[in-house]
Structures are given as C-alpha cells and as structure tokens.
Amino acid sequence: MTQGDIPAYELVRLQLVDVSPTPLNPRRNFGTTEELARFGEELRAAQLAACVAVSRDVYLTLWPDHEDHVGGAKYVLVNGERRYRSACQVGLEALDFVVRDELAASRETFINHLLKENLDRADFDIIERARGINELVAVCAEESERGARARAADHLGKDRSWVTHQLSLLELPEEIQAMLSSGDLPERDGRFLVRHVRDNQGLSAAELLQVLKQEKARQSAEREAERTLLAEARNRTENAVERTDRQAPAPQPPVADATEKTSGSPTPVVGAGEMAAGKEPNTRQSRAPQETGAVGQQSTVPVQNKEGRSAVAPTRAVIELGSVDQVAEALADHLSAEELMELAERLMERADSKVDA
C-alpha cells in the first residue's frame, strides 16, 4: 500500500436500509432461513470481511432501467449479498462496507467483477454460473457481437470453449436446470443431455431423463461385458501357465566335469583312496561301475571342506583302475598341487588307521 501497488479503501459503516442488492447478481441460492440466521448471528459477533458497493448514481448511469429496483437506496451492493441477507434475517441495522465506484466504470467491468466474486465459491451452482457468464457475454456483445464470447473468456481467464460449454447448459428445460442446480443431476449428465437436445429438438424433461436412463443402462452393460472379458482372459492365462508348469521337465542336478575346478575348495573325487586300494568307494549314494578298468559315472560323494565340515558334492571322475602309479598319474592330471597334498595327507591318515588296527 505504501508503494501504491495496492489501493487503499476506506471502511465505512452503512445502514442496510441505504443499500440495495443488484438484480444482476447471478447467484440465487443463499441458503435456508436457518442457515441465514446462523450466519447472521456470526456477523453480529464479528464481521470478518467487508461488503462491496458502488454509489447509486454511478450504478444507474450504467443501468438506468434499474431505478425502480434500487428505489431510494444510496448504494448498490456488488459483493456480499449473502452477508447482507443474513444480517437482515437477524435484524442487524448496519454492516461494514467499502465503496468502489471504479467497479462501475463500464458494464463489462461491473459484470466481470460480480461474476469473478462467485466463480470459485463451493456453493455457486453450475446454472448460476452459466447465467452469470451469459450476462457477461451479453454486455460484451453490446460493443460488438463478433467475438463477445472470446472477450468474456478473456475477462474470466478461461478458454472460449469453456464459456461455450457453460452457456450450453441453459439450453436444457427448466426442470433439468433445477436438477443441476440442486446437485440431483451431475454436470456430466447435463452435458450429455445438451448434445442430445441439439440432435433432437423439442424433447420434454421427462423424455430427456428417460434417454439418460437408457444411456446409463447401456454404459453399465458395456462395463459388465468388459469385466467379463477381462476375467475370461485372466482365467485363460492362468490355465495356460498351469499347463506349462505341468508339462515342463523336472530340473536336473548340475553335472560338474572332473576337469572343472571349484573356486575355494578342492575338487571332490569319487572314492579316490578306496580306488587306489582297489576297494569299492565308501558311500551309499554311489557305486563303482561294473565295467572293469574305469570309473565313469556321476556320483555323490561325502567330502570335507577346508573348514572341516562334511559336504556332499556331485562329481564325475574318469580314472583308470590299475597300478598305484597309474592312479597317481590320473589324479595328478585332475588335481592341483595343493589338492594333491591334501589328498596325500588324507591317504596317510587312512594308512595310519589301518596300521593301528
């Protein structure tokens, strides 16, 4: 305010008998008698927002035909009619006002401000809004009918198509408009009926409601059909997965070739010690093959890892049975020096246990 960016308005206390509402206000629903009385008592305790008015002479310069409506009032209400009506309901004699004659600089300016004050209100129903927009378009058309809706859209900060959609609701029968105002009929249903009215002129409100009922039944049937198709597709997919799982072969255990080294642990050998002694491997899970001269089948052999814990590892060893030299050479081809040393230590332990026995 110090910089002059925000104008300062003088707050004045006006007697309500000196103020007249404007008939141009698109708002018609101000609440029930009980709601007005409750709000009036709140105003009696404290008025949080001032009402806005313009001087009588400035207003009648724009709308001289409203003189009878204004009567002897010195001011015309621009914003705050609900506060005005609530105060009258509980018998208050005066309210706080700011007088802003610049809002009546032109018809467009006045209607634009009147409408903007209500557009964002939660209780400003869609038909009231459409009527207010229609009034703004009408005053814009006084200058030029061409582009009137575009100018109204510019005033409201909206798109021209939005203005057109709002005005289309006023093409519906009064009974349908009343249902839209009360909230008994959603705005999307009103838009559907507008499209139907344009293609089918002269339909009554009852006929339009019947059309709407049929349309909703059709949409409901379509949604149900879509749900059925989705359920069937889901069942087919689940059945196909189950069949695939049943037909899939059981996974086979991995086969490790004796030439592959296992990182961090010695390569297990099938009964190496026992074969070197010409005996059958000491394990229940594997048996030496019946063919003389070689060990060449997969087996599961208990071995010890470096930590001394027992482990069971599948392996496949191909070792020619023969002299000790032949066994040693075969093992040397498959084991590292470290693994050979560990195997030698185990064989020595076995030899010692046999000597002790």
Side-chain angles (χ1 to χ4, degrees):
M1 291 178 63
T2 304
Q3 296 174 353
D5 297 331
I6 303 175
Y9 301 110
E10 182 182 358
L11 191 67
V12 295
R13 190 78 171 174
L14 298 181
Q15 297 294 313
L16 297 185
V17 293
D18 291 332
V19 180
S20 171
T22 173
L24 298 172
N25 191 352
R27 192 175 185 184
R28 296 291 181 271
N29 181 17
F30 297 96
T32 64
T33 302
E34 292 76 13
E35 291 171 339
L36 290 175
R38 184 165 55 251
F39 189 28
E41 293 302 328
E42 293 176 4
L43 290 172
R44 188 191 302 276
Q47 182 182 349
L48 300 180
C51 302
V52 180
V54 296
S55 302
R56 167 195 173 90
D57 294 341
V58 171
Y59 179 83
L60 292 180
T61 299
L62 298 179
W63 283 280
D65 53 322
H66 290 181
E67 185 173 4
D68 291 341
H69 179 86
V70 172
K74 300 177 181 178
Y75 302 93
V76 177
L77 191 64
V78 180
N79 173 249
E81 187 166 348
R82 183 165 180 260
R83 276 162 282 175
Y84 171 87
R85 289 175 177 266
S86 297
C88 292
Q89 182 69 31
V90 297
L92 293 181
E93 296 183 354
L95 285 175
D96 293 332
F97 282 81
V98 291
V99 179
R100 297 184 55 189
D101 285 348
E102 74 276 9
L103 297 180
S106 69
R107 288 195 176 200
E108 282 190 24
T109 303
F110 188 88
I111 295 296
N112 179 44
H113 181 80
L114 192 65
L115 187 56
K116 277 186 174 180
E117 288 291 334
N118 290 284
L119 274 182
D120 296 328
R121 294 183 186 276
D123 55 355
F124 192 46
D125 71 62
I126 59 176
I127 296 301
E128 290 177 339
R129 181 177 64 199
R131 288 171 181 161
I133 295 170
N134 187 55
E135 187 66 36
L136 179 58
V137 170
V139 296
C140 288
E142 292 176 356
E143 178 182 342
S144 172
E145 291 188 7
R146 184 179 181 84
R149 292 188 178 185
R151 290 199 300 277
D154 289 341
H155 278 301
L156 300 174
K158 301 289 186 178
D159 187 79
R160 183 183 182 281
S161 61
W162 181 84
V163 171
T164 300
H165 286 317
Q166 300 302 312
L167 297 179
S168 66
L169 297 174
L170 301 179
E171 300 174 19
L172 296 171
E174 291 292 335
E175 297 90 336
I176 302 296
Q177 291 188 35
M179 294 177 67
L180 289 168
S181 291
S182 63
D184 294 334
L185 194 67
E187 184 174 353
R188 63 178 179 274
D189 290 345
R191 298 194 186 285
F192 167 77
L193 293 178
V194 166
R195 294 192 295 271
H196 194 78
V197 164
R198 288 176 177 175
D199 296 333
N200 302 271
Q201 298 290 333
L203 291 181
S204 66
E207 291 171 329
L208 287 173
L209 291 176
Q210 182 61 30
V211 169
L212 180 61
K213 181 179 179 180
Q214 294 172 354
E215 175 64 15
K216 287 184 175 295
R218 183 189 66 79
Q219 293 176 356
S220 178
E222 286 183 353
R223 288 193 294 269
E224 184 61 32
E226 290 175 357
R227 284 193 291 267
T228 301
L229 290 174
L230 288 174
E232 292 175 353
R234 189 180 299 109
N235 290 335
R236 285 197 297 269
T237 302
E238 292 173 353
N239 292 337
V241 171
E242 291 176 359
R243 287 195 299 271
T244 303
D245 291 343
R246 288 197 299 268
Q247 295 171 0
Q252 298 297 324
V255 177
D257 191 81
T259 61
E260 295 181 0
K261 301 295 188 295
T262 303
S263 175
S265 62
T267 303
V269 180
V270 179
E274 289 84 352
M275 288 186 294
K279 295 184 179 181
E280 184 179 4
N282 184 20
T283 173
R284 296 181 180 180
Q285 288 82 3
S286 73
R287 297 284 182 182
Q290 300 300 320
E291 295 82 11
T292 303
V295 177
Q297 72 177 31
Q298 183 179 353
S299 59
T300 307
V301 182
V303 297
Q304 278 192 337
N305 56 25
K306 291 184 178 180
E307 289 78 11
R309 293 192 296 270
S310 177
V312 178
T315 185
R316 183 177 182 86
V318 181
I319 301 175
E320 296 293 328
L321 295 178
S323 66
V324 173
D325 290 340
Q326 291 175 330
V327 173
E329 290 177 0
L331 291 174
D333 291 337
H334 298 295
L335 300 179
S336 66
E338 182 181 357
E339 292 168 343
L340 286 171
M341 291 295 294
E342 184 174 350
L343 179 58
E345 292 175 359
R346 294 189 184 183
L347 290 174
M348 290 296 295
E349 291 172 2
R350 288 177 181 272
D352 290 343
S353 65
K354 287 187 177 183
V355 171
D356 294 339

